[in-house]
Amino acid sequence: RGPVRVARLEVNARESRIGAKPIQVPKGVTVKLGDDGISMVVKGPKGELSRKFLDAIKFEQEDGVLRCKRVDQTKFGMAQWGLSRSLAFNMVEGVSNGFSKTLELVGTGFRASVAGKELTLNVGYCKPRLVAIPDGITVKVEKNTTVTVSGFDKEQVGDFVAYVRKQRPPEPYKGKGIRFQGEVIKLKEGKAAGRK
């Protein structure tokens, strides 16, 4: 049996509400686009970010406004349109204002501390968990149980926070562990509750 060829289907879909929104470039932030319209370098007070997008879209900049245009008229192009606009917006927002996420340590004796570029987590194991803090990430600990992670790269902040939470995810019976601030843990009933 020979190879199967799949034709790309063009769709007349409605405008993406996210992709069509322009991005306002604030003062103090510079956006440099490559000649291809898909390479971007963003510089601001917080740092510098660069990315090369897929050729399904193209960026244009005029009078301090960044716009994402759809080149690929397929369903794939529609998906990339909204995604690319969101990624570009996060780059501009990151170098201007930055991003932050907060974790809470819940459990008897649970505590955290920062020394240099290392986060120490005492979360109920026989030895403390040591987590290296990458460049571009700032970690602050308040009251030994609240950890705030900040940085200008939203993806890097999210990845680091997820890795820290993974060191002791909340367990489903008492909710002990590392959780996001405001996260609701659905608790299970123990065996004792079933015997009543």
Side-chain angles (χ1 to χ4, degrees), residues 10 13 19 33 35 46 53 64 85 94 111 124 130 142 158 162 175 180:
E10 290 196 5
L33 296 175
D35 295 335
K46 299 287 186 179
F53 299 87
R85 190 268 176 196
R111 63 186 186 276
L130 305 179
E142 298 177 358
F180 296 112

Side-chain angles (χ1 to χ4, degrees), residues 9 22 54:
L9 176 65
L54 296 181

